[in-house]
Amino acid sequence: MLSQTPRPALVLGFAGLIPFWFAATCVWLAPAPWNVHALQIQVLYAATILSFLGAVHWGLAVANYGGAPATPNNPAPAMTWSRLGWSVVPPLVAWIAVCMNAVPALITFILAFAALYAGDRSAVRAGHAPVWYLPLRRALTVLVIAALAVSLARVLLGTGLLGGTADGG
């Protein structure tokens, strides 16, 4: 189904994985303190992308994608409390996660990306997002979660990372 994804979204979506995987590689292979810096970069990038994915839903609602036809009294029927409310949850979760130590932050991001994919699946089924969006999100979500899990495994092993502590703090 990725063949139905518009080329720019496909290319830029997969290019967006580069910072996740570059950071995960550096978390494992770079010497201290560079591996710690790589972990910080990955966490901040995860927050950025999670916020971006929430904004996608805001943008779809603003564009009235999947909404009733606009009327003079209601120019954007798709802008509902539930759609706009859902769109602001990812940045709030990201904001909280960046305030955490490494292990809870990485776990929070893994769970948040999984939950956001579930929300995207619901949005596509409700007609609030284009059908081509779901296969793209599925592939990207699996690869993002894998990169975060690779870093989490390194932090849990602890040796040489974050002063050898498993809690990341």
Side-chain angles (χ1 to χ4, degrees):
M1 284 284 284
L2 283 176
S3 61
Q4 295 178 354
T5 303
R7 191 107 170 125
L10 186 66
V11 171
L12 293 172
F14 277 92
L17 294 170
I18 294 169
F20 279 109
W21 282 98
F22 181 74
T25 301
C26 290
V27 166
W28 274 89
L29 301 178
W34 296 107
N35 57 358
V36 175
H37 188 59
L39 181 62
Q40 292 168 334
I41 288 170
Q42 187 183 48
V43 164
L44 293 173
Y45 187 67
T48 302
I49 296 304
L50 198 63
S51 298
F52 170 83
L53 292 172
V56 166
H57 291 276
W58 185 284
L60 288 168
V62 167
N64 203 43
Y65 192 96
T71 66
N73 293 335
N74 192 357
M79 291 186 63
T80 63
W81 284 101
S82 60
R83 285 184 74 178
L84 293 181
W86 171 247
S87 75
V88 299
V89 169
L92 291 172
V93 171
W95 173 63
I96 292 167
V98 297
C99 297
M100 298 175 175
N101 289 334
V103 170
L106 290 167
I107 291 170
T108 299
F109 280 119
I110 289 168
L111 294 173
F113 278 102
L116 191 53
Y117 172 73
D120 289 339
R121 191 173 63 215
S122 295
V124 169
R125 287 182 180 158
H128 296 162
V131 173
W132 61 261
Y133 187 60
L134 194 57
L136 177 65
R137 286 286 295 118
R138 181 183 313 114
L140 296 177
T141 298
V142 166
L143 292 169
V144 165
I145 288 174
L148 293 167
V150 164
S151 293
L152 178 60
R154 180 68 173 108
V155 174
L156 290 173
L157 288 174
T159 10
L161 182 66
L162 306 172
T165 63
D167 71 351

